[in-house]
Amino acid sequence: MSRLPADQHHAVRLMLNGKPCSGDAEPRMLLTDFLRHEIGATGTHVGCEHGVCGACTVEIDGKLARACLTLAVQVDGCAVRTVEGLAPAPDRLGLLQAAFKRNHALQCGFCTAGILMSLDHFLREVPKPSEQEVRDLLTGHLCRCTGYTPILRAAMEAAAELAGEPAKEKSDA
Amino acid sequence: MPEKRYGMVEATSSAKGRPDPGSPWVGQSIARVEDATLLTGRGRFMDDIGVHPGTLHAAFLRSPHAHADIVSIDVSQAMSSRGVVAVLHGEDIKALTSSLVVGVKAPVECWPMAVGRARYVGEPVAIAVAADRYRAEDAVDLIDVRYNVRPAVVDPRAAVKPEAPVLHDGFGGNVASDRSFRYGDPESAFASAPHRISIDVSYPRNSCTPIETYGVVADYNPGDDAYDVLANFQGPFSIHAVLSRALRVPGNRLRLRTPPDSGGSFGVKQGVFPYIVLIAAAAKATGRPVKWIEDRLEHLTASVSATNRAVSLVAAVAEDGRILALDWDQIEDCGAHLRAPEPATLYRMHGNLTGAYDIRHLKIRNRVVVTNKTPTGLNRGFGGPQVYFALERLVQRIAVELNLDPLDVITRNLVLADAFPYKTASGALLDSGNYQEALRRGAQEGGLAELKARRQAARAEGRLYGIGYTAVVEPSVSNMGYITTVLTPAERRKAGPKNGAQATATIAIDPVGSVSVHVASVPQGQGHRTVLSQVVADVFGLKPSDIRVNTEIDTAKDAWSIASGNYASRFAPAVAGTAKLAAERIAGRLRRVAASQLNTETDDIAFVDGHVGSKRNPDNRISFSRIAALSHWSPAALPDGVGHTIRETVFWTPPELTAPDEDDQINSSLCHGFIFDFCGVEVDRTTLQTRIDRYVTMHDCGTILHPAMVDGQVRGGFAQALGAALYEEYAYAEDGSFLTGTLADYLLPTVAEVPTPIILHMETPSPFTPLGSKGVGEGNCMSTPVCIANAVADAIGAKDVVLPLVPAKLAEIVRGAEPAPPARRTSSTQAKRGGDRKLRGEGEAVVKANAQQVWDMLLDPNTLAAVIPGCHGVEKISGTHFRADVTLGIGPVKGRYRAEVKLSDLDPPKAVTLTGSAEGGLGFGNGEGRITLGPTPDGGTTIHYTYEAGIGGKVASIGGRLLDGATRVIIGQFFVSLARQAGGGEPASGGLSWFARLRRWFGGAP
Ligand code: FES
Ligand code: FES
């Protein structure tokens, strides 16, 4: 690993949600700060900056990561996915997002981006998860509003839909 | 036997469209208008909003001590650090602002930053303002503060004792307020009652801590002498008056705005207001906008907390369990400062101290104390958890002592269904309800009989299984005057009356006839915009998607009043109803406009499906937008007297909310929902972990506007309450060190811990609110902690249980106090005494040098510099006094400390006592060690040492779990190095190779 001078800015180039993007970062700058304040992708949230709450979860080169425990310079040359990349089109919701909406799986929405990222990744890896498996995954996230039940329900519904079962009810928006 | 799937009982919860056209939108669980934005990462939370170019960023230096005089603050090094624009400390803030209002009448000041003295760990001591947050934090590390530590007091019962350290000179000791109340004839009731049953409880400190932390951006314009502040403040906006006063401007020169989205609050974001003062002052001092986003450590340590409370509660009880009188003695701990609106937590429930029960005789003593802990403020449940923990534990105790069924005791005492509106002894007017019916239905639909069978079966197998109950009245829509109950009637007469609960809503129609709604409700995720769109759509015959709702607040432009904001569960009962009233006013005028256009009478007009038309002749109709827009395009076409239909603002306050009367009776809240909870829990015999087998919560919150959101509130509150019951505590050491500064120490429940409660509803509309609804968001925070506690008490057969019900505490109850660990012969034996964080140990090292050589080394600054872990240099102040500059790290958390080492009790070359203290940005440590040197047979020396050390400040908050080990490692390192320096062989004690292994991690090297 190369050593970067602490007092200099370094160019960080990455693919963000499939599009090239770049910015400057000091070596100590966190990926959360970089995404939010350098790039302007504020959908990734910061709840603790010590890796517990999960609000900042993003995907880096196909793996889930806590953006608050990642330095911006570490993603130079990487492909990063964030919540902004989940919807198929600006005016449409993805299947998982729609399941969240249908099930009232969010209230303030502050924890939601991280949870969506984890579930999105997980449901691709584990197409037909058991409820217990989804629960296990979700223990990496803190939500203070919902009491989790609707999140779990949304995740199971989305999993069923992805596995080809029809959606229980369509959202009216 | 197949288990019933109780988790599936709630049928109300998923989003549905309207079942049939024409039925009202209110009452439907429509999809939320908020969600698409939030789900795609397009929310606009506090830290997502762009700032003016040139905005500076702030970081705080906070006190590592719970109680200390600030001897000196040197900011010179910090000021010369790169990118730093200003460093302000208490005296600067004092010069720029006025003291915050204190909640009681006393000659006490309340600054948002320590002035001369710090009174809690985490209290702001200085603020650094720099080009970015990273530079500001760099500067904070370079501020040099010298403290003189004072003794601290953290326990409210200890704080009232005459020998307790005193925090503020203007209060009597630490007691900020001491009021006694008497309703009915409690003395006679106690004198004649056959039983007197009492309970002493301590409700712990906790917080509903949201995932988004505080944030403030402030700007000051000297040309206007005006502040512009954006903050994720949630109200009550009575605080606006506190702020403008502190910033020394009239209210109209403090523009306070809130962002469109807020990442949860649960009351907590009321507590951002002292930071609004500080950031605004920093903006004034620097002449630039200043932004601050709180971090999690700051939030947990020093944002705000619910009050902890010590309660002694006594009941006069009849043979059959009927409670004839209650005697409350409450000591409310508001932390280091009595910040507005405290002591509101204590008085919010004043009218409800008899809970759901018909108890006519009541005695109360309320004391409010200050202690060396974070100041308190709003928190979901606000006073309810504290009151019900005592009251409902007592009811369970009554049942146990009189050998009655707890449910019978509850039932016998409930207010009767035909007694509403029922005035409680202390003045609350319980608006409506049928508590008996709620109990009956709850027990039946929640499967109480089956739960009892499960308990019986579990107990037959020797398992620890218990059932708990609670009956709770959930007050909502606070009377802004209840807080004045803390004053005597004479003081109130002097101060002038305070009462009411102004809610406000504005409906506006634009030139194309589309409808906008604005309310000053400042939601934090509850979905207010959705519900308002339903309410207003129903009035105008439109679809919710036709209505745009804005819930941001801008005090310079919007309609608001002191009660505005999001607290006391006032949205559904007060704000939504006010929006309905405003919409109806416009609708009334539109009806006249339509009648004249359609040539019919006003009462023939109906609003249906986007049209305004005749009821008798549905073909005679015009589109809503056309009628609605007419006021813009052709005011002259409006019938006489209609005025306009462009905008209507309604202020609504319920007449029932009057000021406290001469007898101190106070209707503290407008609405009173009812909750009946019961649960079955099992406590594992081995791990003493509590598992919720089933939790049933029956709610009557009046008319339900959006069933899924109501259930969302119940579930969210339940999860937080479960945390309060089982895991969460803002823990303090005896010296006031804060021990739970990360989410790995302050444990919020995850999906693995939160079961799905069975939620049941009945609807008894409130006669006092426009829509018949009552608040629902806080109830489970009141009912659930004590319900679980009652169940655990039932399971383990305990008389007293303490929250949170962590296995360690249950172990003390079930198995008695843990015996001391067997003492080991050599180093690193650690014995913690009764809760203090002192670490004691001893060790030994053998070196080749003789005693005199070792002795000389100990007194030589150069040797010390070489052997003190992470030492940058030692300065010799005198022959026995050294000053060292060291860098120490615990894991990734490295900090620079200033250490003082003094030698005493010198017995050359045999023994010496070393007293040391270290202080730095990450906290402080101090310790004392006795070193004795003895000869070995081969001419070397045995160095034997004993020590006692303590650590506090930031390191204690974030690394409590690592600290004890780290301290031992660092002390060990000193002797390992000393031994090596003295040509040492291997140290004698086995522990030291362990030091070597861990050295890389806890390494002190610079
Ligand atoms: S902000 Fe990254 S885990 Fe909490
Ligand atoms: S929705 Fe608010 S924290 Fe999860």
Side-chain angles (χ1 to χ4, degrees):
Chain A
M1 209 185 189
S2 55
R3 257 186 113 82
L4 301 174
D7 51 358
Q8 282 174 21
H9 282 82
H10 304 272
V12 178
R13 294 181 193 83
L14 67 152
M15 293 295 280
L16 180 64
N17 299 317
K19 296 198 187 100
C21 95
S22 64
D24 272 355
E26 286 183 4
R28 63 176 172 173
M29 180 181 258
L30 301 176
L31 180 56
T32 41
D33 287 339
F34 179 79
L35 286 173
R36 295 173 45 76
H37 301 307
E38 278 290 309
I39 307 289
T42 55
T44 300
H45 294 154
V46 177
C48 70
E49 278 181 317
H50 55 255
V52 181
C53 76
C56 67
T57 306
V58 298
E59 205 179 287
I60 303 172
D61 284 344
K63 291 208 174 71
L64 289 175
R66 300 285 208 230
C68 74
L69 299 183
T70 308
L71 297 171
V73 291
Q74 287 176 276
V75 303
D76 188 29
C78 297
V80 176
R81 275 189 92 215
T82 64
V83 66
E84 287 94 342
L86 287 181
D91 58 347
R92 277 175 53 207
L93 295 180
L95 189 147
L96 179 64
Q97 291 165 314
F100 265 61
K101 182 171 176 177
R102 228 168 28 237
N103 286 284
H104 295 280
L106 65 157
Q107 286 183 27
C108 77
F110 201 77
C111 67
T112 313
I115 295 179
L116 289 173
M117 292 315 293
S118 280
L119 281 172
D120 177 72
H121 179 268
F122 176 76
L123 294 180
R124 268 181 283 132
E125 307 254 302
V126 188
K128 277 192 172 174
S130 67
E131 188 179 304
Q132 190 51 45
E133 285 173 304
V134 176
R135 249 180 211 280
D136 281 352
L137 174 90
L138 290 174
T139 54
H141 292 272
L142 295 174
C143 173
R144 213 42 173 160
C145 297
T146 62
Y148 303 106
T149 304
I151 299 179
L152 201 60
R153 196 181 289 157
M156 293 311 291
E157 251 182 59
E161 265 187 83
L162 281 169
E165 294 161 31
K168 290 213 179 110
E169 271 167 297
K170 280 278 172 250
S171 152
D172 61 352
Chain B
M1 202 175 77
E3 249 199 83
K4 244 174 157 177
R5 288 294 303 278
Y6 274 93
M8 307 309 291
V9 164
E10 342 108 63
T12 48
S13 295
S14 70
K16 291 189 190 81
R18 194 150 62 150
D20 64 284
S23 64
W25 291 101
V26 167
Q28 315 287 336
S29 292
I30 64 166
R32 301 201 320 167
V33 303
E34 291 86 352
D35 288 355
T37 304
L38 297 172
L39 285 162
T40 48
R42 306 194 63 90
R44 288 290 173 267
F45 294 90
M46 181 65 215
D47 191 30
D48 301 341
I49 293 171
V51 293
H52 188 271
T55 297
L56 300 171
H57 295 261
F60 286 99
L61 174 71
R62 294 171 179 275
S63 172
H65 301 289
H67 202 185
D69 293 314
I70 298 171
V71 180
S72 65
I73 302 185
D74 179 358
V75 302
S76 53
Q77 235 195 319
M79 276 302 289
S80 58
S81 156
R82 194 153 61 109
V84 175
V85 176
V87 180
L88 309 171
H89 52 73
E91 294 297 338
D92 303 319
I93 296 299
K94 202 173 165 181
L96 288 161
T97 67
S98 299
S99 163
L100 299 171
V101 178
V102 178
V104 297
K105 302 252 168 294
V108 166
E109 289 183 331
C110 178
W111 297 98
M113 181 176 273
V115 175
R117 200 203 296 190
R119 292 182 175 87
Y120 62 100
V121 169
E123 180 161 16
V125 170
I127 176 171
V129 187
D132 65 43
R133 173 66 182 248
Y134 291 73
R135 307 251 180 288
E137 289 189 19
D138 288 345
V140 162
D141 284 346
L142 296 171
I143 303 169
D144 187 0
V145 186
R146 308 274 159 130
Y147 297 96
N148 225 338
V149 178
R150 289 171 173 251
V153 59
V154 294
D155 178 68
R157 286 192 174 96
V160 299
K161 299 217 171 105
E163 67 274 17
V166 173
L167 273 80
H168 298 273
D169 296 330
F171 294 140
N174 292 314
V175 180
S177 162
D178 185 351
R179 277 218 72 194
S180 294
F181 303 87
R182 186 176 166 276
Y183 304 96
D185 185 2
E187 295 80 6
S188 311
F190 272 101
S192 61
H195 299 281
R196 199 186 148 87
I197 297 173
S198 67
I199 192 162
D200 284 335
V201 296
S202 295
Y203 195 84
R205 277 213 159 202
N206 51 37
S207 162
C208 291
T209 183
I211 305 296
E212 181 196 42
T213 57
Y214 292 169
V216 181
V217 183
D219 196 4
Y220 173 73
N221 180 348
D224 284 352
D225 186 26
Y227 290 95
D228 191 340
V229 175
L230 178 75
N232 52 9
F233 177 67
Q234 61 139 55
F237 279 77
S238 51
I239 297 287
H240 186 275
V242 175
L243 290 170
S244 64
R245 195 187 131 127
L247 290 169
R248 300 180 188 157
V249 289
N252 59 8
R253 287 175 195 276
L254 169 61
R255 180 178 193 175
L256 178 57
R257 294 175 294 130
T258 61
D261 295 302
S262 173
S265 172
F266 323 111
V268 173
K269 281 175 181 155
Q270 167 264 334
V272 70
F273 84 88
Y275 294 97
I276 293 178
V277 175
L278 292 173
I279 302 300
K284 184 172 186 177
T286 56
R288 306 251 296 264
V290 178
K291 173 174 176 173
W292 169 70
I293 300 292
E294 185 191 48
D295 72 25
R296 180 56 56 180
L297 171 64
E298 293 182 288
H299 189 84
L300 292 171
T301 309
S303 62
V304 83
S305 150
T307 63
N308 55 300
R309 190 179 298 177
V311 181
S312 300
L313 178 59
V314 194
V317 188
E319 283 311 341
D320 64 352
R322 260 202 64 84
I323 302 170
L324 308 169
L326 284 175
D327 183 351
W328 285 87
D329 186 353
Q330 309 192 86
I331 307 178
E332 176 84 327
D333 180 352
C334 285
H337 298 281
L338 204 60
R339 279 184 190 153
E342 296 289 27
T345 313
L346 184 57
Y347 283 92
R348 191 253 181 128
M349 298 295 293
H350 197 80
N352 301 110
L353 287 171
T354 44
Y357 306 125
D358 178 20
I359 304 169
R360 300 314 310 169
H361 307 290
L362 189 57
K363 231 173 112 175
I364 303 160
R365 182 178 186 193
N366 277 346
R367 275 173 286 180
V368 178
V369 301
V370 288
T371 62
N372 294 109
K373 302 205 291 282
T374 299
T376 58
L378 268 60
N379 232 289
R380 196 176 198 168
F382 203 51
Q386 294 88 335
V387 161
Y388 287 117
F389 188 71
L391 182 58
E392 294 296 297
R393 286 288 303 122
L394 178 67
V395 168
Q396 198 237 18
R397 179 74 67 78
I398 290 170
V400 171
E401 294 200 10
L402 301 185
N403 207 11
L404 299 167
D405 184 321
L407 201 51
D408 288 343
V409 177
I410 289 176
T411 311
R412 263 168 222 162
N413 284 291
L414 289 175
V415 172
L416 294 175
D418 59 7
F420 294 97
Y422 171 93
K423 193 169 182 182
T424 68
S426 47
L429 193 60
L430 305 183
D431 46 340
S432 64
N434 185 340
Y435 302 168
Q436 291 75 11
E437 173 72 3
L439 249 67
R440 197 188 57 71
R441 283 175 51 181
Q444 194 188 351
E445 292 169 33
L448 178 60
E450 193 213 337
L451 208 60
K452 284 184 172 168
R454 288 169 74 85
R455 174 172 66 183
Q456 203 176 5
R459 286 185 175 172
E461 290 171 20
R463 284 148 55 201
L464 298 172
Y465 193 106
I467 293 177
Y469 305 88
T470 32
V472 153
V473 164
E474 174 183 3
S476 55
V477 189
S478 284
N479 183 346
M480 296 311 278
Y482 74 68
I483 180 60
T484 59
T485 319
V486 70
L487 306 175
T488 62
E491 287 170 325
R492 283 199 296 269
R493 276 194 297 275
K494 239 173 100 190
K498 287 197 179 60
N499 65 285
Q502 289 284 1
T504 160
T506 300
I507 308 285
I509 293 177
D510 63 30
V512 294
S514 54
V515 179
S516 302
V517 182
H518 177 270
V519 296
S521 74
V522 202
Q524 275 94 22
Q526 297 89 337
H528 292 183
R529 289 170 54 211
T530 303
V531 175
L532 290 167
S533 73
Q534 291 173 280
V535 169
V536 174
D538 277 343
V539 175
F540 291 134
L542 299 171
K543 296 193 296 297
S545 54
D546 297 331
I547 316 287
R548 279 286 279 174
V549 183
N550 184 309
T551 51
E552 293 159 50
I553 198 169
D554 178 340
T555 58
K557 296 196 302 180
D558 299 329
W560 61 280
S561 177
I562 56 163
S564 295
N566 188 17
Y567 60 95
S569 306
R570 63 197 305 282
F571 172 73
V575 178
T578 306
K580 178 174 189 257
L581 297 177
E584 281 172 348
R585 273 199 207 167
I586 291 209
R589 279 182 262 154
L590 286 175
R591 202 169 266 133
R592 291 182 56 198
V593 178
S596 89
Q597 299 270 319
L598 297 172
N599 265 325
T600 181
E601 307 84 56
T602 347
D603 31 340
D604 181 38
I605 295 293
F607 295 81
V608 181
D609 278 343
H611 289 84
V612 193
S614 158
K615 287 181 203 162
R616 286 191 296 266
N617 174 13
D619 291 340
N620 184 19
R621 59 178 203 169
I622 325 180
S623 76
F624 174 84
S625 51
R626 218 185 145 88
I627 286 287
L630 204 64
S631 187
H632 284 281
W633 297 103
S634 182
L638 268 46
D640 286 346
V642 165
H644 69 88
T645 65
I646 294 176
R647 178 183 280 260
E648 183 67 43
T649 297
V650 168
F651 283 85
W652 176 81
T653 189
E656 291 82 9
L657 295 185
T658 50
D661 68 14
E662 286 294 301
D663 301 323
D664 285 318
Q665 286 207 328
I666 173 67
N667 188 17
S668 31
S669 302
L670 177 66
C671 315
H672 298 87
F674 180 72
I675 304 175
F676 169 56
D677 282 3
F678 62 90
C679 67
V681 307
E682 179 167 2
V683 178
D684 186 286
R685 272 209 185 269
T686 314
T687 63
L688 295 173
Q689 216 118 35
T690 301
R691 182 183 65 83
I692 312 285
D693 186 35
R694 184 187 305 165
Y695 198 99
V696 179
T697 182
M698 171 76 186
H699 284 254
D700 184 350
C701 62
T703 307
I704 292 177
L705 306 181
H706 188 296
M709 278 185 213
V710 165
D711 283 358
Q713 287 300 308
V714 171
R715 278 202 202 91
F718 170 74
Q720 292 181 337
L722 182 90
L726 298 179
Y727 311 105
E728 297 177 30
E729 181 175 14
Y730 276 167
Y732 286 85
E734 257 170 36
D735 69 351
S737 285
F738 182 71
L739 305 177
T740 45
T742 74
L743 293 177
D745 304 278
Y746 187 79
L747 298 175
L748 310 186
T750 74
V751 68
E753 287 82 34
V754 183
T756 298
I758 298 167
I759 304 169
L760 305 169
H761 295 288
M762 58 185 263
E763 297 183 49
T764 314
S766 171
F768 300 156
T769 67
L771 291 161
S773 42
K774 308 179 180 188
V776 70
E778 298 180 87
N780 282 89
C781 288
M782 306 180 184
S783 61
T784 297
V786 63
C787 187
I788 294 175
N790 280 344
V792 168
D794 182 47
I796 63 177
K799 212 170 160 212
D800 290 304
V801 288
V802 186
L803 296 186
L805 295 154
V806 292
K809 284 185 191 161
L810 294 183
E812 273 176 33
I813 299 169
V814 175
R815 298 176 191 147
E818 198 175 332
R824 265 181 279 156
R825 273 220 336 240
T826 53
S827 77
S828 315
T829 310
Q830 159 201 351
K832 273 195 230 165
R833 282 190 219 135
D836 77 4
R837 286 208 57 82
K838 281 267 189 285
L839 201 69
R840 298 174 183 84
E842 60 180 317
E844 218 166 67
V846 180
V847 300
K848 297 208 178 91
N850 66 31
Q852 187 59 44
Q853 286 167 320
V854 175
W855 182 262
D856 292 342
M857 288 169 69
L858 279 173
L859 268 60
D860 171 31
N862 291 329
T863 317
L864 285 175
V867 300
I868 293 174
C871 186
H872 302 281
V874 171
E875 187 191 343
K876 185 167 175 176
I877 310 292
S878 75
T880 55
H881 183 179
F882 303 92
R883 190 168 288 158
D885 203 7
V886 295
T887 297
L888 291 175
I890 297 179
V893 188
K894 247 182 206 173
R896 204 161 168 140
Y897 299 82
R898 196 178 47 245
E900 306 266 343
V901 181
K902 284 185 185 152
L903 307 180
S904 56
D905 298 334
L906 285 82
D907 179 11
K910 281 192 222 123
V912 60
T913 297
L914 258 70
T915 316
S917 65
E919 184 140 355
L922 290 174
F924 60 88
N926 44 52
E928 192 174 283
R930 180 79 177 161
I931 298 176
T932 31
L933 307 176
T936 60
D938 55 0
T941 307
T942 305
I943 309 173
H944 180 90
Y945 59 91
T946 58
Y947 64 83
E948 187 175 286
I951 289 180
K954 208 186 266 185
V955 283
S957 308
I958 60 176
R961 289 154 295 127
L962 297 171
L963 263 186
D964 303 350
T967 310
R968 272 180 277 141
V969 168
I970 289 163
I971 291 167
Q973 275 179 355
F974 174 81
F975 288 100
V976 172
S977 310
L978 184 69
R980 192 168 296 127
Q981 199 77 13
E986 272 309 292
S989 73
L992 291 185
S993 61
W994 182 68
F995 295 140
R997 255 190 292 131
L998 286 176
R999 187 170 327 142
R1000 211 163 27 113
W1001 230 69
F1002 295 122

